[in-house]
Amino acid sequence: MDNPKIIGQTKTVGFQVGVRRMFPISKEEAWNLVTSQDGLNVWLGESMFIILEPGQNYITKLGSGEIRVVKPLQQLRLTWQKVGWDKASTVQVRIIPGASNKTTISFHQEKLSNQNVREEMKQYWQKVLMELKERIPK
């Protein structure tokens, strides 16, 4: 008998989680929101400077990793090992344009070690999206 599937568990990359939110801004504004120093501080943790180019390593107050993919106005992919974790996870940020100046910002994280870390990161990314929303000019 198969074990029941646990939410967020994958066959090959441990646990994963994804959160997304639509914002009333253009894809350019969404990209700038996520990739500005202020935006990076919100979701990766405070740092002096992060160079968004493939192969660049970075260190923040929350962890460290390597930038893997940068597709301007579309996607970021990077490894991220939070302080205290045994191994790095993979984070993917997508900018998904919608109709009439609406854009979805999506965070997806995989290679999480267990269900508890998945739940912790789900809450973390939801909080990040709320904080990004606060930074949109009214």
Side-chain angles (χ1 to χ4, degrees), residues 33-50 60-62 124 128 131-132 135:
L33 184 64
V34 168
T35 61
S36 67
Q37 188 61 50
D38 185 46
L40 289 166
N41 286 347
V42 168
W43 64 273
L44 267 185
E46 284 184 41
S47 70
M48 292 303 290
F49 190 67
I50 295 175
T60 72
K61 283 189 175 178
L62 295 180
Y124 176 82
V128 161
E131 287 187 31
L132 289 174
R135 284 166 164 75

Side-chain angles (χ1 to χ4, degrees), residues 119-132:
E119 188 55 39
E120 173 195 329
M121 293 315 298
K122 180 180 178 186
Q123 290 174 11
Y124 176 82
W125 293 119
Q126 288 169 338
K127 183 170 158 259
V128 161
L129 287 170
M130 300 259 301
E131 287 187 31
L132 289 174

Side-chain angles (χ1 to χ4, degrees), residues 64-118:
S64 61
E66 180 188 341
I67 307 298
R68 294 279 173 85
V69 174
V70 179
K71 293 183 184 170
L73 305 180
Q74 293 178 32
Q75 174 193 20
L76 286 174
R77 189 174 175 90
L78 53 135
T79 63
W80 187 32
Q81 185 165 347
K82 276 186 77 180
V83 173
W85 284 6
D86 294 336
K87 60 184 176 56
S89 64
T90 300
V91 175
Q92 187 160 255
V93 185
R94 287 194 179 273
I95 306 298
I96 306 161
S100 63
N101 214 34
K102 289 187 169 73
T103 305
T104 298
I105 298 175
S106 162
F107 288 94
H108 185 266
Q109 189 172 21
E110 57 189 35
K111 299 185 181 174
L112 298 171
S113 54
N114 61 49
Q115 206 171 357
N116 293 340
V117 172
R118 179 192 181 271

